[in-house]
Amino acid sequence: MGEIHSMEALDAALASSVDHNQPIIIDWMASWCRKCIYLKPKLEKIAREFPGVGFYFVDVNKVPQAVVKRGNISKMPTIQVTSYLFFEFLCLALYG
């Protein structure tokens, strides 16, 4: 999973998704969040299984608040998916 650490990195990930017609998953997390800690290895495993999908994470405590506001994030973890069909698949992979 790639780390998004700035507004420029977020813009690059989104632009790459559009340019390559590739769905992306963004995991908005915090290092103190127990649910985030539990979820991250599961997403890393799924990322290895689906190399055609871009997987990223954002530690909300390490990025400028403008990045968090742009993502419209209020709770962690928040997972954003750029493709609805892939969202359905991700739910099946995580929850069976």
Side-chain angles (χ1 to χ4, degrees):
M1 289 176 55
E3 182 175 8
I4 293 175
H5 49 77
S6 65
M7 191 70 78
E8 293 78 18
L10 177 60
D11 288 340
L14 295 171
S16 176
S17 171
V18 171
D19 292 346
H20 298 100
N21 196 25
Q22 176 189 45
I24 63 170
I25 308 294
I26 302 175
D27 175 21
W28 298 82
M29 50 82 67
S31 58
W32 49 263
C33 168
R34 287 182 184 246
K35 290 179 182 178
C36 301
I37 293 166
Y38 174 79
L39 182 63
K40 191 172 178 190
K42 294 182 179 301
L43 289 174
E44 288 171 339
K45 180 182 178 204
I46 294 170
R48 287 189 299 273
E49 294 173 5
F50 297 94
V53 176
F55 283 81
Y56 300 92
F57 73 94
V58 180
D59 187 332
V60 298
N61 294 319
K62 293 183 179 180
V63 297
Q65 282 302 300
V67 176
V68 178
K69 286 182 182 179
R70 180 154 174 223
N72 200 27
I73 305 304
S74 60
K75 296 184 174 148
M76 277 69 65
T78 296
I79 298 175
Q80 292 178 328
V81 182
T82 62
S83 166
Y84 181 74
L85 292 176
F86 190 77
F87 172 73
E88 289 182 353
F89 177 78
L90 181 64
C91 288
L92 288 173
L94 286 173
Y95 305 113

